[in-house]
Amino acid sequence: MNQSEIEQARFNMIEQQIRTWDVLDQRVLDVMKSVPREQFVPEHYRSLAFADTNIPLGHDQVMMAPKLEGRLLQALAITPDDSVLEIGTGSGYLTACLARLGKQVTSIDITADFTTAAAA
């Protein structure tokens, strides 16, 4: 995919999946638009980065479908002054979104390669 196709896929994800699940908080939508989700998806699943599906991460874990991530971020109602503790780093995508919504995020995971990849 070229950059134009990626941006169109991201736009479609937000408008056709996330908004239709009543994720209407503009801060959440802006964060999901600005964090490059495709960079957090395992390379061999990169073509599914914006699809309405869970994406396998290994270790019997998945990256949630975008609509679920949006709902979760909206339900948390994180403010710019919030410090967040995330249990289960996974791909690191939600960690990055949480970091943009709040003041600070501490993320831990029992799988060391998840936290190592997310830190990168």
Side-chain angles (χ1 to χ4, degrees):
M1 287 180 123
N2 65 41
Q3 194 59 37
S4 176
E5 292 169 327
I6 289 171
E7 292 310 317
Q8 184 63 52
R10 187 182 333 279
F11 175 83
N12 291 344
M13 175 189 75
I14 291 168
E15 296 301 319
Q16 297 171 3
Q17 296 173 45
I18 298 169
R19 276 190 194 273
T20 60
W21 259 49
D22 291 326
V23 177
L24 304 174
D25 182 321
Q26 194 59 51
R27 285 187 67 230
V28 169
L29 296 171
D30 289 346
V31 163
M32 294 186 79
K33 180 180 180 184
S34 67
V35 175
R37 190 172 199 274
E38 66 278 8
Q39 292 180 10
F40 294 88
V41 175
E43 182 125 12
H44 53 282
Y45 291 110
R46 192 106 348 131
S47 65
L48 298 175
F50 306 107
D52 184 16
T53 189
N54 292 336
I55 298 172
L57 295 174
H59 306 285
D60 294 322
Q61 301 299 311
V62 298
M63 185 175 186
M64 290 185 286
K67 63 188 179 190
L68 294 176
E69 293 168 329
R71 270 284 182 92
L72 175 69
L73 291 169
Q74 181 172 267
L76 291 171
I78 296 168
T79 69
D81 293 328
D82 288 340
S83 294
V84 179
L85 173 61
E86 178 188 41
I87 310 294
T89 307
S91 72
Y93 175 71
L94 274 177
T95 311
C97 291
L98 292 166
R100 292 208 181 169
L101 290 168
K103 177 177 162 183
Q104 171 185 322
V105 176
T106 302
S107 184
I108 59 173
D109 200 296
I110 61 172
T111 306
D113 51 327
F114 286 166
T115 53
T116 301

